Amino acid sequence: MPTAPALVGRFAEALMGRRACVLATEQIAPDFLEVEFRAEPPPGGWQPGHEVQVRATRTEGRRYTVHGVVDAQRITILTVLHGDAPGTRWLRALRPGTEITLLAGKHVAARLPGTRLIFLGDGSALGTFNAHTAVGHGAVTTTTVIEAPPGSVAALSDRCPGYRILPALDDEPGATTQAWLDDALRNGDLADVDGALLLGHAQSIQQQRRALITGTTLDRRAITTRPYWATGKAGL
Ligand SMILES: Cc1cc2nc3c(=O)[nH]c(=O)nc-3n(C[C@H](O)[C@H](O)[C@H](O)COP(=O)(O)OP(=O)(O)OC[C@H]3O[C@@H](n4cnc5c(N)ncnc54)[C@H](O)[C@@H]3O)c2cc1C
C-alpha cells in the first residue's frame, strides 16, 4: 500500500496499528539512522526481521524492518537516509517522544535454504541482514556484502566488522556489488555457497540472481529475493 486514500490508511491503522513512541534516534553513519521505539507488540510479539509499515504522509505508506528486539516492547529499525522523499523526511523528523503508529501483523519468518549463505544488498537491507544474522538460521558461514553511500562506508565498516561494505556509485545502484560478485565468481570464491538472500534495489537483484545462477551450482529455489525499492518508483 505505498499510496492509498487517507481513509484506507486510517482503516489499516485501526486494524493493524500498534501505538509507538520514539525512545531514541542515532545517526550511526552520515546516511544511516537507527530509531528505537517503545511499541505495543503485535500478535506473537516482535521478532527480528518483522516488517512494519508507517504512514509517511496522510496518503503514503513506507515499509521498514525491525532489526533489533531489546525487550517485548522495545524495538529498533535501521534506515538509510537516501534523499528528499516522504519516508526519508518522516525519518528525519523523528525525535525522542514522537508518537506514531506502526502497522504490523504476526511475523512470518523467512526460510533461508542452505548453511553457507551469501547476503547481497544495499543500505536498505542492512537492518534485515542484521536481523537474519542474529537469528542465525543454522548457517555455518555467511558472507554479507552491503553497498552504501561512500560517505558512510568507514563508519559502517567499523560498526559491522564482519560485513564487506562497498561504496555505491552515484546514479548506478548495484554496480559495485555486481563488480565484486563478478570477481568473486571468476575467482571461485563462492564455490561453497549453497543459499543466497538478495534484498534492496529491484533491478540489481535481477542481475545478481542471473549471475549466481550462471556462475554457481545454485538454482532458483536456493536464492531468496525481496525488492525493497526500484529505480523511478515511489514506495514498494
Ligand atoms: C518489506 C520491506 C522492508 C524494508 N525495510 C527497510 C529497512 O529496514 N530500512 C530501510 O532503509 N529501507 C527499508 N525498505 C526500503 C524502503 O521502504 C524504501 O527505500 C522506500 O522507498 C523509502 O521511501 P522514501 O519515501 O524515502 O522514497 P520513495 O518515495 O519510495 O522513492 C523516491 C525515489 O528514491 C528512490 N529510492 C527509494 N529508496 C531508495 C534507497 N533505499 N536508496 C536509494 N534510492 C532510493 C526511488 O527509486 C525513487 O526514485 C524496506 C522495503 C520493503 C518493501
Side-chain angles (χ1 to χ4, degrees):
M1 195 188 60
T3 306
L7 194 62
V8 175
R10 279 172 46 203
F11 184 62
E13 273 192 4
L15 273 182
M16 297 171 68
R18 317 284 156 206
R19 274 182 309 171
C21 178
V22 176
L23 294 176
T25 62
E26 186 190 355
Q27 194 136 4
I28 64 155
D31 310 279
F32 287 81
L33 185 73
E34 185 174 46
V35 186
E36 182 176 347
F37 297 98
R38 185 184 323 104
E40 287 175 346
W46 292 112
Q47 309 295 335
H50 221 125
E51 291 178 13
V52 297
Q53 194 176 148
V54 301
R55 279 173 82 188
T57 68
R58 282 177 68 241
T59 56
E60 287 165 294
R62 293 292 183 265
R63 293 178 199 276
Y64 298 100
T65 307
V66 172
H67 89 125
V69 178
V70 182
D71 63 33
Q73 302 220 25
R74 277 170 66 203
I75 55 171
T76 56
I77 61 171
L78 183 54
T79 62
V80 60
L81 304 170
H82 67 86
D84 187 21
T88 304
R89 282 197 296 273
W90 178 85
L91 289 163
R92 286 187 194 278
L94 296 177
R95 298 284 178 274
T98 305
E99 299 202 338
I100 56 138
T101 301
L102 294 174
L103 301 190
K106 194 170 173 4
H107 177 56
V108 181
R111 231 178 45 79
L112 299 185
T115 55
R116 296 177 303 279
L117 304 172
I118 182 161
F119 293 172
L120 299 179
D122 54 47
S124 65
L126 180 57
T128 312
F129 288 158
N130 287 345
H132 283 299
T133 303
V135 170
H137 297 287
V140 177
T141 59
T142 306
T143 303
T144 303
V145 179
I146 290 282
E147 188 177 290
S152 290
V153 169
L156 289 187
S157 302
D158 284 350
R159 199 165 170 116
C160 314
Y163 296 179
R164 187 177 295 259
I165 313 289
L166 304 175
L169 297 181
D170 264 357
D171 299 328
E172 266 194 87
T176 29
T177 306
Q178 192 60 44
W180 178 90
L181 182 58
D182 291 342
D183 253 10
L185 291 171
R186 231 186 338 267
N187 298 336
D189 297 342
L190 304 181
D192 261 7
V193 164
D194 60 1
L197 176 62
L198 315 178
L199 302 178
H201 180 234
Q203 292 86 348
S204 302
I205 289 175
Q206 288 174 3
Q207 223 187 335
Q208 291 157 7
R209 181 160 62 171
R210 269 197 302 274
L212 284 169
I213 289 171
T214 314
T216 68
T217 55
L218 290 179
D219 68 18
R220 281 179 183 278
R221 280 163 306 174
I223 304 176
T224 303
T225 63
R226 180 83 196 257
Y228 276 6
W229 63 281
T231 299
K233 204 161 186 306
L236 271 192

